[in-house]
Amino acid sequence: MFLQKIEIQGFKSFANKTILEFNRELTAIVGPNGSGKSNVADAVRWVLGEQSLKLLRGKKAEDVIFAGSDKKNRSGMAEVSIYLNNEDGQAPIEYSELIITRRVFRDGQSEYLLNQNQVRLQDIQLLMARASVGQKTYSVIAQGMIDSVLLASPGERKEFFEEATGVKQYQIKREQSINKLVTTYENLEQAKILVQEIEPRLRVLTRQIKRLERREELEVLLQGLQKKYYRFRYQQLALSCWQVGDGLAAKITLGEERLKTITELQARLAALEKTASWSQTWRELQIKQVGLRNHLSELTREQTLAQAAEEIGHLKRGEGEIALLKQRRQELIEELKLAQTQFSQFNLEIEHGRKQLQSKLEEQVKLVDWFVGLAKGGGSWAESELTKLISEQRELKQHLLSVKSLTEVKTLANQAGAIAERLQILAKHWSEDAASQSPDWDSCWQQRDHLAQEIGGLEANLNQQAIQLSAKQESSERLQASLFKIEASLESKAPVKVKSGETEELGSTIKQVEQELTMIDEKLQELHNQEESSKSDLFKLQRELDRAQNLAQTYSQEKHELELAKARLETKLEDLEREMVQEAPLELIHEIKAAGETETIAEGATALEIKKLKGQLELTGGIEPEVVSDYEQTKTRFDFLTGQITDLEQATQALEAIIQDLDETIAQRFLVSFRAINEKFVEYFKLLFSGGKVQLVLQKIEPSLEEEAGSETTADGQAEVEAKPLSVREKFLAKEKIKAGLFAGVEIQATPPGKKLATIASLSGGEKALASIALICAIISFNPSPFVVLDEVDAALDESNSERFAAILDKLMVHTQFITITHNRATMRRAAVLYGVTMGDDGISKLLSVKLEEAKEMAGKKLNPKT
């Protein structure tokens, strides 16, 4: 690595942009006093991060900016850039060329750039330390500093030798680690103080949170019990409401059906009442019947007179027996007519009774069909028995429709009675749970009993009429047999009958009248039957209407009772909901009302448990809502601080380990390097002084902590005023300062040949300069810097010593680039590049560069034009 170029603009006297280019050979910068030569060395020191205004020969930061002159205004900023060739990789960075720039403005702002990227001063210092560039000591030796090392105190020489031995980079890291460690100690101490302040508050909040957690546990248990308790009660009430509502809907439906039935029955009843037109026909037929009967009586009287006349004729002729037979025949004919008339009337009455029985049996079939809906509640036997009864009842109905004789009617009547008895047995079986089966059982039983009574009465009437019909039939048969005998006797007594024309005609007329009367009687009987049937239907409809109205009234009462029951249940349900709103949160109420399984509980025990939990909650007491947020914030801060304390303690251990490693590295490298520098110092001292003795001695000084950090000492060694109390930071820094120094300082013991001196201060100015040059050359020889800027270090040397110094520079230039600001001709002669610095009346420094090799060639050409 070597310095390729320097760009200066606005720095001190270099107001304009000035560029100085270098190679690895010796470069000399010359010029009259006051021209600004030393400003070049100041520029290099400044760009490498120098912070001491004293070394920069200024008092304020803005003193490095061109202050202006009579002919040029002042600059607003100062900027210096140095270009370093890093092709050999001496600087541990990937760039082959390093451009280090420092810029400062009059407003106080400043910046450091590395290859046009803004960086920190610390980054620049660490990078230069790793590249062995001692920016504060021997890399830039300013004017008047050549003997400062000798004149400095042993402690002040320490920094010089730290850079010289190459441990500066480690000391920078150590200082950074110490600063971090001190900051960590302070943060740790502050964190512990904060933890001590927070911990009591956290304990109080923790107790409150535990109470809150206990309260939450109790609330969870309470809500669980409330959910079971209220859900059970709510579901029970809701189920009861639903059942009552369902029953009410059924009653409403039944009531509507019953009202519909009542309306239909009333319409049918009105229609039957309107069918009274048969009364007029009845009256007309009766009038006609009376007329025909009167006419028949007249004809009969006439016939009787004619027959009497005929009998008298028979008697006159001696035929009295024939007359008696004819009289008896006429009596039998009258009796037979009467018997036939009665027989016909009985047949009509039996037919009417059969129809009534058929109607009642149809009602019984309907009733049995209605029982089918309740058969399942009566068990398998009842269901089977009812099925058989239904089948037999339907068969009985079919037989009634096709009956042809009175015997069949009697048989069917007996079957109907047997079915009724079996129905009574089945009804008795059902009566045990009739109330639970249907609310209409009483009415059904009444209807069943009424039908049974009516069917029994009809059966008795049919039996009575059957007996009478049988008697009339036997009587008719006897009369018919007697009539046949009389007819036979008459045939035998009077084989040839001669009848009078009048009697014959009267008989024919009577027969016609009788036929008409028979027809009228039949019509009257038919009307009578129709009237009886209508009355029966009317009574039947009236009874059905009464039953329907009774049932409708029963349904209405039951509906009213169900409405009251539903209203009571709904009131209880509303009361329960109000209780739930007061006792349970809204989310729990939604869960209670949601569909799902309901656990059966003991209401009393659960209510007591709920009351017990409420009492425990009251004993627990309420906790303000802010406690949770305060606890969370405090706990979070406490956890954060304890975590930070742990991290800081770990960081402290890590930093202490790093510092310990750095201390070991510094100690090892410093001692080795110090011995080597001492040897080189002896070598160059003897070379410059042609003999003599010199030695570097480490001073092991271990001042007390208070003396080092808290008191000040005057030049005569007496303590001034007492120190202030030390802080933790100050004590630690003082302690680390003592630990960092393996030595308190470096003492130089030098004795030129032929002299015996007690101290280095006894040397003359030239001897001091030579001793300082010997020390600097020893350091450069051991730890070569990539470049060294020397500002008139040879000013105090005579010509012979100047030659020796120049010879030493020639040897050191193998590893180090030298840029010297000088007035010494011996140094100028050895320079490859010569820069001249001048200053005009505008107060601005200007450069004139000459490459001596080219100048020699040009001079040779002028001296020898032929070449």
Side-chain angles (χ1 to χ4, degrees):
M1 176 185 284
F2 66 93
L3 179 62
Q4 288 187 147
K5 183 169 60 175
I6 300 177
E7 292 183 358
I8 306 174
Q9 182 177 2
F11 183 81
K12 291 191 174 182
S13 62
F14 290 94
N16 300 323
K17 186 173 183 178
T18 304
I19 299 175
L20 294 86
E21 295 182 349
F22 309 99
N23 53 30
R24 294 190 64 88
E25 297 178 303
L26 178 63
T27 299
I29 299 174
V30 299
N33 293 331
S35 61
K37 302 185 301 297
S38 295
N39 290 339
V40 175
D42 292 342
V44 174
R45 181 184 291 275
W46 184 72
V47 76
L48 290 178
E50 181 60 61
Q51 300 297 309
S52 174
L53 293 175
K54 182 178 180 181
L55 292 177
L56 295 173
R57 299 178 297 164
K59 293 183 179 180
K60 297 182 295 183
E62 63 180 17
D63 288 345
V64 300
I65 304 174
F66 177 69
S69 62
D70 294 338
K71 295 185 178 181
K72 186 161 180 73
N73 294 329
R74 67 177 186 173
S75 298
M77 73 163 187
E79 178 180 331
V80 177
S81 299
I82 59 174
Y83 292 73
L84 300 175
N85 187 311
N86 190 38
E87 293 178 356
D88 58 357
Q90 185 172 349
I93 197 168
E94 295 179 356
Y95 299 111
S96 60
E97 182 182 58
L98 301 179
I99 304 174
I100 300 174
T101 303
R102 184 178 182 182
R103 190 181 295 138
V104 66
F105 299 89
R106 285 197 178 274
D107 60 2
Q109 295 184 3
S110 64
E111 57 186 6
Y112 292 87
L113 303 175
L114 178 61
N115 287 17
Q116 306 305 319
N117 297 315
Q118 192 167 352
V119 294
R120 301 173 300 173
L121 170 61
Q122 196 175 57
D123 299 328
I124 298 295
Q125 291 175 341
L126 184 59
L127 179 63
M128 292 297 98
R130 290 178 177 178
S132 299
V133 177
Q135 63 268 39
K136 289 187 178 181
T137 54
Y138 62 92
S139 290
V140 180
I141 301 177
Q143 185 176 5
M145 290 181 59
I146 185 62
D147 56 353
S148 62
V149 178
L150 297 180
L151 298 177
S153 66
E156 292 173 345
R157 296 191 191 105
K158 177 183 176 181
E159 183 178 2
F160 184 86
F161 278 95
E162 285 173 351
E163 286 191 359
T165 54
V167 298
K168 186 62 177 178
Q169 56 176 320
Y170 302 109
Q171 288 191 328
I172 292 174
K173 291 181 180 179
R174 186 179 186 278
E175 184 178 355
Q176 293 174 353
S177 299
I178 289 174
N179 291 333
K180 290 179 181 179
L181 185 59
V182 171
T183 303
T184 303
Y185 279 150
E186 292 177 346
N187 292 336
L188 181 60
E189 185 176 0
Q190 186 177 4
K192 288 181 178 180
I193 292 172
L194 291 175
V195 167
Q196 291 175 357
E197 294 176 355
I198 292 173
E199 194 169 8
R201 173 64 175 166
L202 181 61
R203 285 197 297 268
V204 174
L205 291 174
T206 302
R207 287 194 297 269
Q208 293 180 346
I209 289 298
K210 287 182 179 179
R211 288 172 54 199
L212 181 60
E213 291 175 352
R214 175 57 182 165
R215 183 178 182 84
E216 290 176 350
E217 292 176 0
L218 292 174
E219 288 176 348
V220 170
L221 292 174
L222 178 60
Q223 290 183 7
L225 285 176
Q226 286 178 335
K227 181 178 179 181
K228 293 179 182 179
Y229 177 71
Y230 288 118
R231 186 180 182 84
F232 177 76
R233 290 183 59 192
Y234 183 83
Q235 294 292 345
Q236 290 294 319
L237 287 174
L239 179 61
S240 298
C241 284
W242 178 83
Q243 290 175 344
V244 172
D246 192 52
L248 180 61
K251 288 300 175 185
I252 291 173
T253 303
L254 290 174
E256 292 175 351
E257 292 177 355
R258 193 57 57 188
L259 289 175
K260 184 178 179 182
T261 302
I262 291 172
T263 304
E264 292 176 354
L265 290 174
Q266 288 175 345
R268 289 171 61 189
L269 190 61
L272 281 176
E273 290 175 350
K274 290 180 181 179
T275 59
S277 60
W278 53 267
S279 59
Q280 183 66 30
T281 305
W282 175 271
R283 286 193 294 272
E284 291 177 356
L285 288 175
Q286 280 185 335
I287 292 171
K288 189 174 181 180
Q289 185 187 38
V290 171
L292 286 174
R293 287 187 183 281
N294 292 331
H295 182 57
L296 181 61
S297 297
E298 184 66 26
L299 288 175
T300 302
R301 187 181 64 79
E302 291 178 358
Q303 186 184 30
T304 302
L305 292 176
Q307 288 176 352
E310 186 177 353
E311 288 177 0
I312 292 169
H314 283 298
L315 291 173
K316 286 179 178 182
R317 288 190 298 269
E319 298 176 353
E321 187 178 357
I322 294 174
L324 291 172
L325 289 173
K326 284 185 177 182
Q327 185 179 0
R328 180 59 181 163
R329 184 185 66 179
Q330 186 63 35
E331 292 176 355
L332 289 175
I333 289 172
E334 293 295 332
E335 290 179 1
L336 184 60
K337 286 181 179 179
L338 180 60
Q340 288 177 347
T341 301
Q342 291 178 347
F343 184 80
S344 298
Q345 186 176 358
F346 282 144
N347 274 332
L348 291 174
E349 291 178 356
I350 288 173
E351 179 66 22
H352 179 64
R354 185 179 67 83
K355 289 181 179 180
Q356 286 184 334
L357 180 60
Q358 181 180 352
S359 175
K360 297 303 177 182
L361 290 175
E362 287 178 354
E363 290 185 25
Q364 192 177 47
V365 169
K366 291 181 180 179
L367 183 61
V368 172
D369 289 337
W370 185 81
F371 281 152
V372 172
L374 305 176
K376 294 181 180 179
S380 60
W381 173 82
E383 184 176 359
S384 174
E385 183 67 19
L386 186 59
T387 304
K388 292 179 182 179
L389 288 174
I390 292 170
S391 177
E392 293 177 6
Q393 188 82 0
R394 288 175 178 170
E395 291 178 1
L396 179 63
K397 181 180 177 181
Q398 295 296 328
H399 290 162
L400 281 171
L401 295 175
S402 60
V403 69
K404 294 180 179 179
S405 65
L406 183 60
T407 305
E408 292 180 358
V409 172
K410 293 173 67 178
T411 303
L412 293 176
N414 294 330
Q415 291 179 1
I419 292 174
E421 291 178 359
R422 290 165 64 186
L423 275 175
Q424 289 178 355
I425 295 172
L426 187 62
K428 182 179 180 181
H429 174 74
W430 275 337
S431 62
E432 296 177 356
D433 55 346
S436 62
Q437 291 293 328
S438 170
D440 301 324
W441 274 102
D442 293 338
S443 176
C444 293
W445 299 147
Q446 292 175 4
Q447 185 178 358
R448 185 262 303 167
D449 295 339
H450 183 72
L451 282 174
Q453 291 175 2
E454 289 183 346
I455 291 172
L458 290 173
E459 289 174 353
N461 289 334
L462 284 174
N463 290 331
Q464 184 81 24
Q465 290 172 355
I467 294 171
Q468 293 177 359
L469 184 63
S470 178
K472 291 296 180 183
Q473 188 174 3
E474 292 176 357
S475 176
S476 296
E477 290 176 355
R478 287 194 304 270
L479 291 173
Q480 188 71 34
S482 299
L483 185 62
F484 286 157
K485 289 178 180 181
I486 292 173
E487 289 288 345
S489 297
L490 287 175
E491 287 291 336
S492 63
K493 298 289 183 182
V496 180
K497 296 186 291 182
V498 181
K499 293 184 180 181
S500 64
E502 184 181 2
T503 303
E504 189 70 26
E505 183 179 357
L506 286 172
S508 177
T509 303
I510 288 171
K511 186 177 288 187
Q512 289 177 358
V513 172
E514 287 178 346
Q515 288 178 353
E516 288 181 8
L517 281 173
T518 301
M519 292 177 60
I520 289 173
D521 289 339
E522 289 178 353
K523 287 183 179 179
L524 286 173
Q525 184 64 37
E526 183 178 355
L527 287 175
H528 176 72
N529 292 336
Q530 288 180 358
E531 182 182 3
E532 291 295 328
S533 177
S534 297
K535 288 182 179 179
S536 176
D537 291 341
L538 185 63
F539 293 152
K540 175 183 175 182
L541 286 175
Q542 189 63 45
R543 287 195 299 272
E544 290 182 0
L545 182 60
D546 292 340
R547 282 198 304 272
Q549 289 176 343
N550 291 333
L551 287 175
Q553 185 178 3
T554 301
Y555 291 152
S556 177
Q557 292 176 354
E558 293 174 350
K559 173 188 170 186
H560 180 65
E561 291 176 358
L562 289 173
E563 286 176 345
L564 291 177
K566 184 179 180 182
R568 286 193 293 270
L569 289 173
E570 287 176 348
T571 302
K572 289 182 180 179
L573 194 59
E574 290 175 358
D575 293 340
L576 180 62
E577 288 181 349
R578 282 194 293 270
E579 182 181 349
M580 288 191 297
V581 169
Q582 294 175 357
E583 298 294 334
L586 185 60
E587 296 79 6
L588 184 60
I589 294 175
H590 291 323
E591 293 180 8
I592 290 170
K593 292 183 178 180
E597 295 182 359
T598 303
E599 182 180 349
T600 303
I601 62 170
E603 289 190 36
T606 307
L608 289 175
E609 187 66 23
I610 290 174
K611 184 177 180 181
K612 180 180 177 182
L613 288 174
K614 286 182 179 179
Q616 292 179 1
L617 282 173
E618 291 178 359
L619 291 176
T620 303
I623 297 177
E624 297 180 358
E626 294 80 8
V627 171
V628 177
S629 59
D630 290 347
Y631 172 78
E632 291 176 353
Q633 293 176 1
T634 306
K635 185 68 167 61
T636 301
R637 183 164 176 77
F638 180 81
D639 293 341
F640 172 76
L641 289 173
T642 52
Q644 289 293 310
I645 289 173
T646 302
D647 294 340
L648 290 171
E649 288 175 347
Q650 294 176 354
T652 300
Q653 295 174 0
L655 288 171
E656 289 175 349
I658 291 172
I659 293 172
Q660 184 176 358
D661 292 341
L662 289 172
D663 286 341
E664 293 175 357
T665 302
I666 291 171
Q668 182 179 3
R669 296 198 60 171
F670 181 83
L671 292 175
V672 172
S673 301
F674 185 80
R675 293 190 189 99
I677 290 173
N678 188 31
E679 292 176 358
K680 290 292 184 180
F681 183 34
V682 172
E683 178 183 347
Y684 285 108
F685 185 85
K686 290 182 178 181
L687 179 61
L688 289 173
F689 282 93
S690 299
K693 294 180 181 180
V694 69
Q695 184 180 4
L696 298 175
V697 180
L698 291 175
Q699 290 185 345
K700 294 290 185 178
I701 301 176
E702 296 182 359
S704 65
L705 189 62
E706 288 75 10
E707 290 175 352
E708 180 67 24
S711 61
E712 296 181 358
T713 306
T714 58
D716 57 1
Q718 302 207 350
E720 279 188 343
V721 219
E722 181 40 30
K724 300 176 181 178
L726 299 177
S727 64
V728 174
R729 177 186 177 90
E730 291 171 343
K731 289 180 179 180
F732 177 79
L733 288 176
K735 180 180 179 182
E736 288 302 317
K737 183 177 181 181
I738 297 171
K739 285 176 60 179
L742 293 175
F743 56 93
V746 179
E747 183 65 41
I748 300 176
Q749 298 176 356
T751 303
K755 293 184 179 180
K756 188 176 181 179
L757 301 175
T759 62
I760 194 72
S762 302
L763 296 176
S764 64
E767 289 173 338
K768 290 179 182 178
L770 287 175
S772 299
I773 291 173
L775 180 58
I776 291 171
C777 291
I779 293 171
I780 294 173
S781 176
F782 171 75
N783 187 17
S785 176
F787 63 90
V788 175
V789 178
L790 303 173
D791 185 7
E792 297 186 18
V793 297
D794 56 357
L797 300 180
D798 55 18
E799 188 171 352
S800 61
N801 287 325
S802 297
E803 290 293 339
R804 292 192 189 98
F805 175 63
I808 292 172
L809 291 181
D810 286 339
K811 292 180 180 179
L812 296 177
M813 281 177 60
V814 176
H815 301 290
T816 302
Q817 175 190 15
F818 287 97
I819 300 168
T820 178
I821 300 170
T822 182
H823 295 284
N824 196 305
R825 288 179 294 177
T827 306
M828 293 181 193
R829 285 196 300 269
R830 294 180 180 275
V833 178
L834 191 66
Y835 279 102
V837 179
T838 62
M839 180 181 291
D841 56 359
D842 55 0
I844 298 174
S845 298
K846 299 180 180 61
L847 285 182
L848 176 64
S849 61
V850 177
K851 291 185 178 180
L852 295 181
E853 294 295 332
E854 295 177 1
K856 288 179 181 178
E857 291 178 2
M858 292 176 63
K861 289 179 180 179
K862 288 181 179 180
L863 293 174
N864 190 4
K866 294 181 179 181
T867 59

